[in-house]
Amino acid sequence: MQTSVRLEPWGAGDFWLLERNNQPAMTEHLGGPESAERLADRQCRYEAMSVREPAAGRMFRVVLEPSGQSVGTVGSTSPAGV
């Protein structure tokens, strides 16, 4: 069985993914869950990345095909970490 996914650029409607992943089990090795304020800041940064040059880095929502279900996130940054 083959699984197909597509990548969708991060958008304003994707904040719920940050909230879903902000659980103790998911953030244990990162210092624990972030505050609501920090999540909002992260959302703004991710949205801003969607309008930059692609080489500067992007965040994406991972979507399972053909159901259209969002199953995760993935991102990239430039080698300089911009």
Side-chain angles (χ1 to χ4, degrees):
M1 179 174 146
Q2 183 175 350
T3 301
S4 297
V5 297
R6 73 175 186 271
L7 300 179
E8 295 284 335
W10 196 269
D14 296 326
F15 183 72
W16 69 273
L17 283 167
L18 292 179
E19 292 177 309
R20 182 183 74 180
N21 292 334
N22 195 40
Q23 304 300 316
M26 295 286 289
T27 60
E28 178 181 355
H29 300 289
L30 302 171
E34 293 182 294
S35 68
E37 181 179 315
R38 290 198 60 182
L39 283 181
D41 289 343
R42 182 181 298 278
Q43 175 69 15
C44 288
R45 287 194 312 273
Y46 287 1
E47 286 183 50
M49 290 174 79
S50 292
V51 297
R52 299 190 311 190
E53 290 293 322
R58 293 285 171 108
M59 285 301 297
F60 299 94
R61 177 171 44 96
V62 181
V63 179
L64 186 63
E65 291 288 355
S67 72
Q69 177 185 9
S70 295
V71 294
T73 64
V74 66
S76 67
T77 60
S78 70
V82 175

